[in-house]
Amino acid sequence: QVQLVESGGGLVQPGGSLRLSCAASGFPFSAYAMSWYRQALGKERELVASITRPSGSTNYGDSVKGRFTISRDNAKKTVYLQMNSLKPEDTAVYYCYVGLGGGSWGQGTQVTVSS
């Protein structure tokens, strides 16, 4: 059974940083690309970042390029999202995603950027 568990969200001031983690289980983690999405209140879910396998090449949404970094640790079966220079418009629920079995999502973690 595929399980994705996000953690690391919280309240941060503009300009601050957070690191999100997504712990995966129930599938061969190193064999799959992983992604982070986010959904702000009243808006559609959007792709934030993705990381492929085995090369680990990355792709970012335009709004986060240069500020966010996605990485993975295959030994720990975990994907990370380092978020720097956070802005109020980054406020959203952040979800981990793997394109397995029609697509599997974590439960999400709330990130709020506010002074």
Side-chain angles (χ1 to χ4, degrees):
Q1 181 182 355
V2 175
Q3 264 201 315
L4 301 171
V5 180
E6 301 97 334
S7 61
L11 173 64
V12 63
Q13 291 187 343
S17 298
L18 281 175
R19 188 175 84 151
L20 305 183
S21 300
C22 170
S25 61
F27 66 99
F29 178 79
S30 62
Y32 287 87
M34 299 295 298
S35 300
W36 285 97
Y37 284 76
R38 70 185 181 187
Q39 187 166 21
L41 199 60
K43 295 188 176 181
E44 293 188 356
R45 196 169 293 190
E46 64 173 350
L47 176 67
V48 176
S50 60
I51 184 165
T52 66
R53 47 75 55 191
S55 64
S57 61
T58 57
N59 180 57
Y60 297 93
D62 288 341
S63 61
V64 306
K65 282 180 182 176
R67 300 188 297 123
F68 290 12
T69 302
I70 188 171
S71 61
R72 65 191 297 162
D73 186 330
N74 289 332
K76 294 183 178 180
K77 298 183 180 180
T78 300
V79 61
Y80 304 98
L81 185 67
Q82 178 66 44
M83 306 186 295
N84 298 329
S85 302
L86 282 160
K87 305 175 182 180
E89 51 264 43
D90 294 317
T91 295
V93 178
Y94 284 70
Y95 297 92
C96 186
Y97 173 85
V98 61
L100 176 64
S104 296
W105 300 89
Q107 83 287 351
T109 186
Q110 176 71 47
V111 172
T112 302
V113 185
S114 175
S115 55

